[in-house]
């Protein structure tokens, strides 16, 4: 089996996917723009070959690379990066080389928020009121229906980039005067609630063979726009309504042989779920490692086993709560890093700096706390986040 992994060095912990494929006898071909000598040793050892291009955004270079790889190694059985940023590139390459997986004809429904909304509605999952707007007159229709605040975000975008909370008519006017004219924006009612997710992995028939859930203190939009830190935690027991809605969405989108990360709001006023967006990838940062620590599994190997054998290696159980706690270097914290390790080291299963490209959303440094008592983890989180002044 020949499997191409795009940009295998980033995010830094995703080299483990290549290592797992290699363990199961797959020819893993890395395709990226980082010099080979700069790849970590474990990644080098897992790759049958590494093809370096000057620019990952130059599609002609990627086409030539896959042509060479196909000529040398034969049929390509799969391609992935597990990274939202390269989702469209993967789909183009799959389409051009007839590689199994998401192709260009299915891309809009998983990239455009307006198309996602149509699928949610068809699946019977509640959504926020809203639509793509081109003029302030369009926007005022939504204001008349649900009032302020509103949220404006690119209809086709990654993460919380260029996303705004609009609280007044003046801010709405300013938005239309300053927004990029070449970008379609979707405007939605602001949902006051907590973000929770339904995350996991399906087999090649679309059956969820691993799934879990997480709750977030605040949304990425708030973290990025307000330059604050973040924490989020896993559930041992998934709320029943979340599991039901998540499985409906899995079926509606036809997710097969992939990770998924579905986001919802849990409304504060009535605790009902409202679908936010789908991502056909694992949740970012250390969350794949949170899977492992919560269940005592190796999700990287489980994904590889799904690719090769279409099943998990074994059954799993959600045994522990895992809480990710971030810190930012521009904040003045009460407790030092050294004191955190000394006082709470028995609960910390992993800690590491965050790549600069992810720091605005995930912080500059992250800690993973593990325990069976979530209240205990919350107390530690408060101590880690306590700031002077």
């Amino acid at each position: 089996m020949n499997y191409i992994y795009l940009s295998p060095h980033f995010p830094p912990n995703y080299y483990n996917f290549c290592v797992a494929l290699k363990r199961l006898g797959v020819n893993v071909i890395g395709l990226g723009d980082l010099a080979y000598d700069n790849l970590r040793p474990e990644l080098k050892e897992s790759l049958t070959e590494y093809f370096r291009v000057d620019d990952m955004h130059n599609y002609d270079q990627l086409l030539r690379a896959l042509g060479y790889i196909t000529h040398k190694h034969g049929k390509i059985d799969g391609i992935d990066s597990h990274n939202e940023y390269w989702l469209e590139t993967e789909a183009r390459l799959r389409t051009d080389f007839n590689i199994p997986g998401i192709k260009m004809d299915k891309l809009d429904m998983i990239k455009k928020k307006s198309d996602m909304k149509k699928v949610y509605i068809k699946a019977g999952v509640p959504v926020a009121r809203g639509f793509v707007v081109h003029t302030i007159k369009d926007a005022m229709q939504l204001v008349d229906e649900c009032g302020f605040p509103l949220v404006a975000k690119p209809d086709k975008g990654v993460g919380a980039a260029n996303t705004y909370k609009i609280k007044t008519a003046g801010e709405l006017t300013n938005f239309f005067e300053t927004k990029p004219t070449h970008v379609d924006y979707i405007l939605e009612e602001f949902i006051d609630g907590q973000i929770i997710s339904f995350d996991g992995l399906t087999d090649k028939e679309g059956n969820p063979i691993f799934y879990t859930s997480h709750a977030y203190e605040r949304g990425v939009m708030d973290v990025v726009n307000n330059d604050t830190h973040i924490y989020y935690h896993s559930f041992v027991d998934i709320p029943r309504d979340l599991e039901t809605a998540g499985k409906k969405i899995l079926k509606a989108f036809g997710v097969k042989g992939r990770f998924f990360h579905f986001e919802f709001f849990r409304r504060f006023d009535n605790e009902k779920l409202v679908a936010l967006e789908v991502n056909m990838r694992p949740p970012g940062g250390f969350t794949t490692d949170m899977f492992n620590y919560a269940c005592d599994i190796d999700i990287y190997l489980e994904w590889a086993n799904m690719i090769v054998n279409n099943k998990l290696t074994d059954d799993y159980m959600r045994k522990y709560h895992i809480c990710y706690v971030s810190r930012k270097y521009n904040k003045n914290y009460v407790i030092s890093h050294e004191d955190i390790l000394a006082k709470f080291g028995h609960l910390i299963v992993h800690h590491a700096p965050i790549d600069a490209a992810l720091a605005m959303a995930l912080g500059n440094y992250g800690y993973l706390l593990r325990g069976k008592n979530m209240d205990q983890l919350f107390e530690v989180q408060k101590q880690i986040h306590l700031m002077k002044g």
Side-chain angles (χ1 to χ4, degrees), residues 306-350:
M306 182 278 296
I307 293 296
V308 176
N309 301 308
N310 200 31
K311 62 181 181 180
L312 298 186
T313 61
D314 204 353
D315 293 333
Y316 69 93
M317 291 180 59
R318 291 180 292 275
K319 302 176 182 179
Y320 305 97
H321 295 287
I322 307 294
C323 185
Y324 172 78
V325 185
S326 76
R327 301 229 294 194
K328 287 192 172 180
Y329 293 150
N330 63 356
K331 308 297 181 187
N332 194 11
Y333 297 101
V334 171
I335 302 179
S336 69
H337 168 71
E338 291 73 22
D339 285 344
I340 289 171
L341 299 185
K343 293 179 65 175
F344 309 121
H346 60 294
L347 295 173
I348 298 172
V349 291
H350 182 76

Side-chain angles (χ1 to χ4, degrees), residues 90-99 102-105:
E90 296 165 15
R92 290 183 69 185
L93 291 170
R94 291 193 194 101
T95 302
D96 288 340
F97 287 85
N98 196 27
I99 301 169
I102 296 172
K103 296 184 173 68
M104 291 300 292
D105 62 335

